[in-house]
Amino acid sequence: MKAVATLERETRLLQGNQAIAEGAIYAGARFYAGYPITPSSEIADECAKRMPELGGMYIQMEDEMASIAAVVGASLAGAKALTATSGPGFSLMQENLGLAVMGEVPCVVVDVQRSGPSTGLATKPAQSDIMQVRWGRHGDQSVIALCPATVRECFTLTVQAFNFAERFRVPVVLMPDEIVGHMRENVALPLPGEIEVVDRKAPAGPPASYLPFKPDEDGIAPLAAYGSEYVFHVTSSMHGTDGYSNNDPANAAWRVRQLHEKIERHRDEIVLTQSYYTEDMDVLIVTLGATTRAARTAALEARAQGIKAGVLQLQTVWPFADREIAALGKRARMVVVPEMNYSGQVAGEVLKALGPGADIRRVNKFNGTIITPQDILDAMLRPAGAQTQGNQP
Amino acid sequence: MRDSRLEIRIGGTGGQGLILCAKMLADALAAAGKRVAQSQTYEPTSRGGYCNSDLIVSEGEVDFPLATALDCLVLLDRMAVKPSWPLLKPDALVLADTRLCPELPEGNRDVKYRVHHLPLTRSAIELGSERVANIVALGALAAISGMCERKALERAVRADTPKSFLDLNLDALAAGYRLGEQEPALAATAP
């Protein structure tokens, strides 16, 4: 019934990348700084048009290092800010993304994943930045990452990305693949007020006693805006609750733990998944991004052949949905993990979640083409123990 | 679900307005309550190189969003034949331009597929611009397949056309419909 009601509303034919820009605006983003790179450039294009119309700001920067720096600065000045890029640009952003983690600066970075390594197949899709998103920065730290599978999710998960960034004072990476970024679908966009929009917690006490890194009960410190009556200091170096450098071992241990724990404590709220046909399944397909669409078709075709397959889509990639996978995986005789990379970046995490002995079937493609429903069906039908196929030349 | 799935490809070369053509068709189908997913070749080549624009149409949300078995294929250039022909479903509808795509693979033509060779680019040139061959093709495809309402398609063309091109595009759409309506029905089953 709900789906019918949705369709009756005005729908728009929208590209994934456009929907990301629209989602950012819905979430209250009014600052974009970036350096265009395929396959993310439509996000810049849309923001260049829309931000000025809304009294916001769009800046084309000289490179990706400057782009993320501008985003961090804008956010500290109180704006909801984003940038968008792809592989090579995302690599360049890592250093200042680390600054955003350390300074607990809410921001959203969109990495529309394309084939690597390096400039690789610049226009072709991949899902091979999964570990870079998690570990790309040096030092021990944690971010949140979301991955859309549809144009509508490009919109809704962008809103969610801003909500998480604002609520937990952390950079959030939205990581669609090129297929989803460039696909057009007719979608009924949420109306204002339909999805909750979260704003960062502002300090309430007297400015003189404001401590920008002193967490409240919920583990998150209020964040003032530069230029307000709250004057505060942010540094990339180890610092105390007042924001000034502090090399005391006890303080350093507390800071590193706190950067992790503020996310771990709220893990159940952050880990978003979507299940399809899992009620009675005995074969589980764990997916993210465009591969989810192939898996949904594969599950239906498997069911037509008498195999009860179900799909668990990881809308949140980091923190990883280990408990959700373990809960469903226990009921499955086989878990199939299709992903557009060579190394099985998701499959490795699935193995950690399920433990040794689980029948995990990897489906990997790393030649710039999408995993098809047939690729997934083939993996299901392989005898146990037979290893994954490579790519056909 | 797969049963209601319809796969359409507009194939040709970069610069022919293949994506625009698919977007207009998508808008017309969406107006009738269909769900659509549109994708395209995305390469460093553009003008002059092989390109296609694909449209998957479904009653519910489209599951796999890319082409796997084509119900309809429009060929605006010979370059699109080789990559698209193997994807054709049995009994698929094929519209090919007489001028830019004169030859089609032999053997099963007119047997396995419903092939219509139409002067799409020639009609566009007669209207004053080869650039509207995509809109002529759109009209012909809609007329032969009956997949969407003419009024809805006209609305979509109006919505996506700059003012200075509107008359030309509407003429092109009408020319496409005329070409399509003159064609004999090649098979009883609709795509």
Coordinates of all heavy atoms in Angstrom, one line a residue, chain A residues 3 7 11-13 15 38-40 42 122-124 150 152 178-179 182-187 276-277 290 293-294 296-297 300-301 370-373, chain B residues 1-2 5 19 22-24 26-27 29-31 33-44 53 55 59-66 68 160:
Chain A
A3 N 3.8 1.6 -1.2 CA 4.5 1.8 -2.5 C 3.6 2.5 -3.5 O 4.0 3.4 -4.2 CB 5.0 0.5 -3.1
L7 N 4.0 6.2 -5.3 CA 4.0 6.4 -6.8 C 3.0 7.5 -7.2 O 3.2 8.1 -8.2 CB 3.6 5.1 -7.5 CG 4.8 4.3 -8.0 CD1 4.3 3.1 -8.8 CD2 5.6 5.1 -9.0
T11 N 6.7 12.2 -9.4 CA 8.0 11.5 -9.5 C 8.9 12.3 -10.4 O 8.4 12.9 -11.3 CB 7.9 10.0 -9.9 OG1 7.3 10.0 -11.2 CG2 7.0 9.2 -9.0
R12 N 10.2 12.1 -10.3 CA 11.1 12.8 -11.2 C 12.1 11.8 -11.7 O 12.5 10.9 -10.9 CB 11.9 13.9 -10.4 CG 11.1 15.1 -10.2 CD 11.9 16.0 -9.2 NE 13.1 16.6 -9.8 CZ 14.0 17.3 -9.1 NH1 13.9 17.5 -7.8 NH2 15.1 17.7 -9.7
L13 N 12.5 11.9 -12.9 CA 13.6 11.1 -13.5 C 14.9 11.7 -13.1 O 15.2 12.8 -13.5 CB 13.5 11.0 -15.0 CG 14.4 10.0 -15.7 CD1 14.1 8.6 -15.3 CD2 14.3 10.2 -17.2
Q15 N 19.2 11.3 -11.9 CA 20.4 10.5 -11.9 C 20.8 10.4 -10.5 O 20.6 11.2 -9.6 CB 21.5 11.2 -12.7 CG 22.6 10.4 -13.1 CD 23.6 11.1 -14.0 OE1 24.0 12.3 -13.7 NE2 24.1 10.5 -15.1
T38 N 35.5 12.4 -12.9 CA 34.6 11.4 -13.3 C 34.7 10.1 -12.4 O 35.8 9.9 -11.9 CB 34.8 11.0 -14.8 OG1 33.6 10.4 -15.2 CG2 35.9 10.0 -15.0
P39 N 33.7 9.5 -12.0 CA 32.2 9.6 -12.3 C 31.4 10.4 -11.3 O 30.3 10.1 -11.1 CB 31.8 8.2 -12.4 CG 32.7 7.4 -11.5 CD 33.9 8.2 -11.3
S40 N 32.0 11.4 -10.7 CA 31.3 12.1 -9.6 C 30.9 13.5 -10.0 O 30.2 14.2 -9.3 CB 32.2 12.2 -8.4 OG 33.2 13.2 -8.6
E42 N 28.8 15.1 -11.8 CA 27.4 15.6 -11.8 C 27.0 16.2 -10.5 O 26.1 17.0 -10.4 CB 26.4 14.5 -12.3 CG 26.6 14.1 -13.7 CD 27.7 13.0 -13.9 OE1 28.3 12.6 -12.9 OE2 28.0 12.7 -15.1
A122 N 39.0 4.8 -15.7 CA 38.4 6.0 -15.1 C 36.9 6.1 -15.2 O 36.3 6.7 -14.3 CB 39.1 7.3 -15.7
T123 N 36.3 5.5 -16.2 CA 34.9 5.7 -16.4 C 34.1 4.4 -16.0 O 32.9 4.4 -16.1 CB 34.5 6.0 -17.9 OG1 35.0 4.8 -18.7 CG2 35.2 7.2 -18.4
K124 N 34.8 3.4 -15.5 CA 34.1 2.1 -15.2 C 33.9 1.9 -13.7 O 34.7 2.4 -12.9 CB 35.0 1.0 -15.8 CG 35.1 1.1 -17.3 CD 33.8 1.0 -18.0 CE 33.9 1.1 -19.5 NZ 32.6 1.2 -20.1
T150 N 20.2 2.4 -5.1 CA 19.2 2.9 -6.0 C 19.3 4.4 -6.0 O 19.9 5.0 -5.1 CB 17.7 2.6 -5.5 OG1 17.5 3.2 -4.3 CG2 17.5 1.1 -5.3
R152 N 16.9 6.4 -5.4 CA 16.2 6.9 -4.2 C 17.1 6.9 -2.9 O 17.1 7.8 -2.1 CB 14.9 6.2 -3.9 CG 14.1 6.8 -2.8 CD 12.8 6.0 -2.5 NE 12.3 6.4 -1.2 CZ 11.7 7.4 -0.8 NH1 11.3 8.3 -1.7 NH2 11.3 7.6 0.4
E178 N 29.9 3.6 -9.7 CA 29.6 4.4 -10.9 C 28.3 4.1 -11.5 O 27.6 4.9 -12.0 CB 30.7 4.2 -12.0 CG 30.6 5.0 -13.2 CD 29.7 4.3 -14.3 OE1 29.5 3.1 -14.3 OE2 29.2 5.1 -15.2
I179 N 27.9 2.8 -11.3 CA 26.6 2.4 -11.9 C 25.4 3.1 -11.3 O 24.6 3.7 -11.9 CB 26.4 0.8 -11.7 CG1 27.5 0.1 -12.5 CG2 25.0 0.4 -12.2 CD1 27.6 -1.4 -12.1
H182 N 25.5 7.0 -12.0 CA 25.1 7.5 -13.3 C 23.8 7.0 -13.8 O 23.3 7.3 -14.9 CB 26.2 7.1 -14.3 CG 27.3 8.1 -14.4 ND1 28.6 7.8 -14.9 CD2 27.4 9.4 -14.0 CE1 29.3 8.9 -14.8 NE2 28.6 9.8 -14.2
M183 N 23.1 6.1 -13.0 CA 21.8 5.6 -13.4 C 20.7 6.6 -13.2 O 20.8 7.4 -12.2 CB 21.6 4.3 -12.6 CG 20.3 3.6 -12.9 SD 20.3 2.0 -12.1 CE 20.9 2.4 -10.5
R184 N 19.8 6.6 -14.1 CA 18.6 7.4 -13.8 C 17.4 6.5 -13.5 O 17.2 5.5 -14.1 CB 18.2 8.3 -15.1 CG 19.1 9.4 -15.3 CD 18.7 10.3 -16.5 NE 19.7 11.3 -16.8 CZ 20.8 11.0 -17.5 NH1 21.0 9.9 -18.0 NH2 21.6 12.0 -17.7
E185 N 16.6 7.0 -12.5 CA 15.4 6.2 -12.1 C 14.3 7.3 -11.8 O 14.7 8.4 -11.4 CB 15.6 5.3 -10.9 CG 16.5 4.1 -11.3 CD 16.6 3.1 -10.1 OE1 17.3 3.5 -9.1 OE2 16.0 2.1 -10.2
N186 N 13.1 6.9 -12.0 CA 12.0 7.8 -11.6 C 11.7 7.6 -10.1 O 11.4 6.5 -9.7 CB 10.8 7.7 -12.5 CG 10.2 6.3 -12.6 OD1 11.0 5.3 -12.4 ND2 8.9 6.1 -12.8
V187 N 11.9 8.6 -9.4 CA 11.8 8.5 -7.9 C 10.8 9.6 -7.4 O 10.8 10.7 -7.9 CB 13.1 8.6 -7.2 CG1 13.9 7.4 -7.4 CG2 13.9 9.8 -7.6
Y276 N 15.9 -8.6 1.7 CA 14.9 -9.1 0.7 C 14.8 -10.6 0.8 O 15.9 -11.3 0.7 CB 15.4 -8.6 -0.7 CG 15.6 -7.1 -0.8 CD1 16.8 -6.5 -0.6 CD2 14.5 -6.3 -1.2 CE1 16.9 -5.1 -0.8 CE2 14.6 -4.9 -1.3 CZ 15.9 -4.4 -1.1 OH 16.0 -3.0 -1.2
Y277 N 13.7 -11.1 0.9 CA 13.4 -12.5 0.8 C 14.1 -13.3 1.8 O 14.5 -14.5 1.5 CB 13.7 -13.1 -0.6 CG 13.4 -12.1 -1.8 CD1 14.5 -11.7 -2.6 CD2 12.2 -11.6 -2.0 CE1 14.3 -10.8 -3.6 CE2 12.0 -10.6 -3.0 CZ 13.0 -10.3 -3.8 OH 12.9 -9.4 -4.9
A290 N 25.4 -1.3 -6.4 CA 24.7 -1.9 -7.6 C 24.5 -3.4 -7.5 O 23.6 -3.9 -8.1 CB 25.4 -1.4 -8.8
R293 N 21.3 -5.0 -6.7 CA 20.2 -5.2 -7.7 C 20.4 -6.5 -8.5 O 19.4 -7.1 -8.8 CB 20.3 -4.0 -8.7 CG 20.4 -2.6 -8.1 CD 19.1 -2.2 -7.4 NE 18.1 -1.8 -8.4 CZ 17.9 -0.6 -8.9 NH1 18.6 0.4 -8.4 NH2 17.0 -0.4 -9.8
A294 N 21.6 -6.9 -8.8 CA 21.9 -8.2 -9.4 C 21.5 -9.3 -8.5 O 20.9 -10.3 -8.9 CB 23.4 -8.3 -9.8
R296 N 19.2 -9.2 -6.1 CA 17.8 -9.4 -6.0 C 17.2 -10.2 -7.1 O 16.3 -11.0 -6.9 CB 17.1 -8.0 -5.9 CG 17.3 -7.3 -4.5 CD 16.9 -5.9 -4.5 NE 15.5 -5.7 -5.1 CZ 15.0 -4.5 -5.3 NH1 15.7 -3.4 -5.0 NH2 13.8 -4.4 -5.8
T297 N 17.7 -9.9 -8.3 CA 17.2 -10.7 -9.5 C 17.7 -12.1 -9.3 O 16.9 -13.1 -9.6 CB 17.8 -10.1 -10.8 OG1 17.4 -8.7 -10.9 CG2 17.3 -10.9 -12.0
L300 N 15.5 -14.1 -6.9 CA 14.2 -14.5 -7.5 C 14.4 -15.6 -8.5 O 13.5 -16.6 -8.5 CB 13.6 -13.3 -8.2 CG 13.0 -12.2 -7.3 CD1 12.5 -11.0 -8.1 CD2 11.9 -12.7 -6.4
E301 N 15.4 -15.6 -9.3 CA 15.6 -16.7 -10.2 C 16.0 -18.0 -9.5 O 15.6 -19.1 -10.0 CB 16.7 -16.2 -11.3 CG 16.0 -15.2 -12.2 CD 16.9 -14.7 -13.4 OE1 18.0 -15.2 -13.5 OE2 16.5 -13.8 -14.1
I370 N 29.9 -5.0 -14.5 CA 29.1 -5.3 -13.3 C 28.9 -6.8 -13.1 O 29.0 -7.6 -14.1 CB 27.7 -4.6 -13.4 CG1 26.9 -4.7 -12.1 CG2 26.9 -5.2 -14.6 CD1 25.6 -4.0 -12.1
I371 N 28.7 -7.2 -11.9 CA 28.4 -8.6 -11.6 C 26.9 -8.8 -12.0 O 26.0 -8.0 -11.6 CB 28.6 -8.9 -10.1 CG1 30.1 -8.9 -9.8 CG2 27.9 -10.2 -9.7 CD1 30.4 -8.9 -8.3
T372 N 26.7 -9.8 -12.8 CA 25.3 -10.1 -13.3 C 24.6 -11.0 -12.4 O 25.2 -11.8 -11.6 CB 25.3 -10.6 -14.7 OG1 26.0 -11.9 -14.6 CG2 26.1 -9.7 -15.7
P373 N 23.2 -11.1 -12.5 CA 22.5 -12.1 -11.7 C 23.0 -13.5 -12.0 O 23.1 -14.3 -11.1 CB 21.1 -11.9 -12.3 CG 21.0 -10.5 -12.7 CD 22.4 -10.2 -13.2
Chain B
M1 N 9.1 -7.5 -10.7 CA 9.3 -8.9 -11.1 C 9.7 -9.0 -12.6 O 9.4 -8.1 -13.4 CB 8.0 -9.7 -10.9 CG 7.6 -9.8 -9.4 SD 8.7 -10.8 -8.4 CE 8.3 -12.5 -9.1
R2 N 10.3 -10.1 -12.9 CA 10.9 -10.2 -14.3 C 9.8 -10.2 -15.4 O 10.0 -9.8 -16.5 CB 11.7 -11.5 -14.4 CG 12.9 -11.5 -13.5 CD 14.1 -11.7 -14.3 NE 14.9 -10.5 -14.3 CZ 16.0 -10.4 -15.1 NH1 16.4 -11.3 -15.9 NH2 16.7 -9.2 -15.1
R5 N 9.0 -7.1 -17.1 CA 10.3 -6.3 -17.5 C 10.3 -6.1 -19.0 O 10.1 -7.1 -19.8 CB 11.5 -7.1 -17.0 CG 12.8 -6.5 -17.1 CD 13.9 -7.4 -16.5 NE 15.2 -6.9 -16.9 CZ 16.0 -6.3 -16.0 NH1 15.6 -6.0 -14.8 NH2 17.2 -5.9 -16.4
I19 N 20.8 9.4 -25.2 CA 20.4 9.5 -23.8 C 19.1 10.4 -23.7 O 18.2 10.0 -23.0 CB 21.5 10.1 -22.9 CG1 22.7 9.2 -22.9 CG2 21.0 10.4 -21.5 CD1 23.9 9.7 -22.2
A22 N 16.1 8.3 -24.7 CA 15.7 7.4 -23.7 C 15.1 8.1 -22.5 O 14.1 7.6 -21.9 CB 16.9 6.6 -23.2
K23 N 15.6 9.3 -22.2 CA 15.0 10.0 -21.0 C 13.6 10.4 -21.3 O 12.7 10.4 -20.5 CB 15.8 11.3 -20.8 CG 17.0 11.1 -19.9 CD 17.9 12.3 -19.8 CE 17.2 13.5 -19.1 NZ 18.1 14.7 -19.0
M24 N 13.3 10.9 -22.6 CA 12.0 11.3 -23.0 C 11.0 10.1 -22.9 O 9.9 10.2 -22.4 CB 12.0 11.9 -24.4 CG 12.6 13.3 -24.4 SD 12.9 13.8 -26.1 CE 13.3 15.5 -25.9
A26 N 11.5 7.5 -21.1 CA 11.4 7.1 -19.7 C 10.3 8.0 -19.0 O 9.5 7.5 -18.2 CB 12.7 7.3 -19.0
D27 N 10.3 9.3 -19.3 CA 9.4 10.2 -18.7 C 7.9 9.8 -19.1 O 7.0 9.9 -18.3 CB 9.6 11.7 -19.2 CG 10.7 12.3 -18.3 OD1 10.8 12.0 -17.1 OD2 11.4 13.2 -18.8
L29 N 6.8 6.9 -20.0 CA 6.5 5.6 -19.4 C 6.2 5.8 -17.9 O 5.3 5.2 -17.3 CB 7.6 4.6 -19.6 CG 7.7 4.1 -21.0 CD1 9.0 3.4 -21.3 CD2 6.6 3.1 -21.3
A30 N 7.0 6.7 -17.3 CA 6.8 7.0 -15.8 C 5.5 7.7 -15.6 O 4.8 7.4 -14.6 CB 8.0 7.9 -15.3
A31 N 5.1 8.5 -16.6 CA 3.8 9.2 -16.4 C 2.6 8.1 -16.4 O 1.6 8.4 -15.8 CB 3.6 10.1 -17.6
G33 N 2.9 5.4 -14.8 CA 3.0 4.6 -13.6 C 4.1 3.5 -13.6 O 4.2 2.8 -12.7
K34 N 4.8 3.5 -14.7 CA 5.9 2.5 -14.8 C 7.1 2.9 -14.0 O 7.3 4.1 -13.8 CB 6.3 2.3 -16.3 CG 5.2 2.0 -17.2 CD 4.8 0.5 -17.2 CE 3.8 0.2 -18.4 NZ 3.0 -0.9 -18.1
R35 N 7.9 1.9 -13.6 CA 9.2 2.3 -13.0 C 10.2 2.1 -14.0 O 10.2 1.1 -14.8 CB 9.4 1.3 -11.8 CG 8.3 1.5 -10.7 CD 8.4 2.8 -10.0 NE 9.6 3.0 -9.2 CZ 9.7 2.7 -7.9 NH1 8.6 2.2 -7.3 NH2 10.8 2.9 -7.2
V36 N 11.2 3.0 -14.1 CA 12.2 2.9 -15.1 C 13.6 3.0 -14.5 O 13.8 3.7 -13.5 CB 12.0 4.0 -16.2 CG1 10.7 3.8 -17.0 CG2 12.0 5.4 -15.6
A37 N 14.6 2.4 -15.2 CA 16.0 2.6 -14.8 C 16.7 2.9 -16.2 O 16.6 2.1 -17.1 CB 16.6 1.4 -14.1
Q38 N 17.4 4.0 -16.3 CA 18.1 4.3 -17.5 C 19.6 4.4 -17.3 O 20.0 5.0 -16.3 CB 17.5 5.7 -18.0 CG 18.0 6.1 -19.4 CD 19.3 7.0 -19.3 OE1 19.4 7.8 -18.3 NE2 20.2 6.8 -20.2
S39 N 20.3 3.8 -18.2 CA 21.8 3.8 -18.1 C 22.4 4.0 -19.4 O 21.6 4.0 -20.4 CB 22.3 2.5 -17.4 OG 21.9 1.4 -18.2
Q40 N 23.7 4.2 -19.5 CA 24.3 4.4 -20.8 C 25.7 4.0 -20.8 O 26.3 3.8 -19.7 CB 24.2 5.9 -21.1 CG 24.9 6.8 -20.1 CD 24.0 7.2 -18.9 OE1 22.8 7.5 -19.2 NE2 24.5 7.1 -17.7
T41 N 26.3 3.8 -22.0 CA 27.7 3.6 -22.1 C 28.4 4.8 -21.6 O 28.0 5.9 -21.8 CB 28.2 3.3 -23.6 OG1 27.5 4.3 -24.4 CG2 27.9 1.9 -24.0
Y42 N 29.5 4.6 -20.9 CA 30.2 5.7 -20.3 C 31.7 5.5 -20.5 O 32.3 4.6 -19.9 CB 29.9 5.8 -18.8 CG 30.4 7.1 -18.2 CD1 30.0 8.3 -18.6 CD2 31.3 7.0 -17.1 CE1 30.5 9.5 -18.0 CE2 31.8 8.2 -16.6 CZ 31.4 9.4 -17.0 OH 31.9 10.5 -16.4
E43 N 32.2 6.2 -21.5 CA 33.6 5.9 -22.0 C 34.3 7.3 -22.3 O 33.6 8.3 -22.4 CB 33.5 5.2 -23.4 CG 32.7 3.9 -23.3 CD 33.6 2.7 -23.0 OE1 34.8 2.9 -22.9 OE2 33.1 1.6 -22.9
P44 N 35.6 7.2 -22.5 CA 36.3 8.4 -22.9 C 35.9 8.9 -24.3 O 36.2 10.0 -24.7 CB 37.8 8.1 -22.8 CG 37.8 6.8 -22.0 CD 36.5 6.1 -22.2
S53 N 22.1 3.9 -25.1 CA 21.3 4.3 -23.9 C 20.3 3.3 -23.6 O 19.5 2.9 -24.6 CB 20.7 5.7 -24.1 OG 19.9 6.1 -23.0
L55 N 17.1 1.4 -21.4 CA 16.0 1.7 -20.5 C 15.4 0.4 -20.1 O 15.0 -0.5 -20.9 CB 15.0 2.5 -21.3 CG 13.9 3.3 -20.5 CD1 14.5 4.2 -19.6 CD2 13.0 4.0 -21.6
E59 N 6.8 -2.9 -13.8 CA 5.6 -2.5 -13.1 C 6.0 -2.0 -11.7 O 5.6 -1.1 -11.1 CB 4.6 -3.6 -13.0 CG 3.9 -3.9 -14.3 CD 3.1 -2.8 -14.9 OE1 2.6 -2.0 -14.2 OE2 3.0 -2.8 -16.2
G60 N 6.9 -2.8 -11.1 CA 7.5 -2.5 -9.7 C 8.9 -1.9 -9.9 O 9.3 -1.7 -11.0
E61 N 9.6 -1.8 -8.8 CA 10.9 -1.2 -8.8 C 11.8 -2.2 -9.7 O 11.7 -3.4 -9.5 CB 11.5 -1.1 -7.4 CG 12.9 -0.4 -7.4 CD 13.5 -0.3 -6.0 OE1 13.5 -1.3 -5.3 OE2 13.9 0.8 -5.7
V62 N 12.6 -1.6 -10.6 CA 13.4 -2.4 -11.4 C 14.5 -3.1 -10.6 O 15.1 -2.4 -9.8 CB 14.1 -1.5 -12.5 CG1 15.1 -2.3 -13.3 CG2 13.1 -0.8 -13.4
D63 N 14.6 -4.4 -10.7 CA 15.7 -5.0 -9.9 C 17.1 -4.8 -10.5 O 17.7 -3.9 -10.3 CB 15.4 -6.5 -9.5 CG 14.8 -7.3 -10.7 OD1 15.1 -7.0 -11.9 OD2 14.1 -8.3 -10.5
F64 N 17.5 -5.7 -11.4 CA 18.8 -5.5 -12.1 C 18.6 -4.4 -13.1 O 17.8 -4.5 -14.0 CB 19.2 -6.8 -12.8 CG 20.6 -6.7 -13.3 CD1 21.7 -6.5 -12.4 CD2 20.9 -6.9 -14.6 CE1 23.0 -6.4 -12.9 CE2 22.2 -6.8 -15.1 CZ 23.3 -6.5 -14.2
P65 N 19.4 -3.3 -13.0 CA 19.0 -2.1 -13.8 C 19.7 -2.0 -15.1 O 19.5 -1.0 -15.8 CB 19.6 -1.0 -12.9 CG 20.7 -1.6 -12.1 CD 20.4 -3.0 -12.0
L66 N 20.5 -3.0 -15.5 CA 21.2 -3.0 -16.8 C 20.6 -4.0 -17.8 O 19.9 -4.9 -17.4 CB 22.7 -3.2 -16.6 CG 23.4 -2.3 -15.6 CD1 24.9 -2.6 -15.6 CD2 23.2 -0.9 -15.9
T68 N 20.0 -7.1 -20.1 CA 20.5 -8.5 -20.2 C 19.9 -9.2 -21.4 O 20.5 -10.0 -22.0 CB 20.1 -9.3 -18.9 OG1 18.7 -9.1 -18.7 CG2 20.8 -8.8 -17.7
D160 N 11.5 18.5 -22.3 CA 12.9 18.3 -22.3 C 13.5 19.0 -23.6 O 14.7 18.7 -23.9 CB 13.3 16.8 -22.4 CG 14.0 16.4 -21.1 OD1 14.5 17.3 -20.4 OD2 14.0 15.2 -20.8

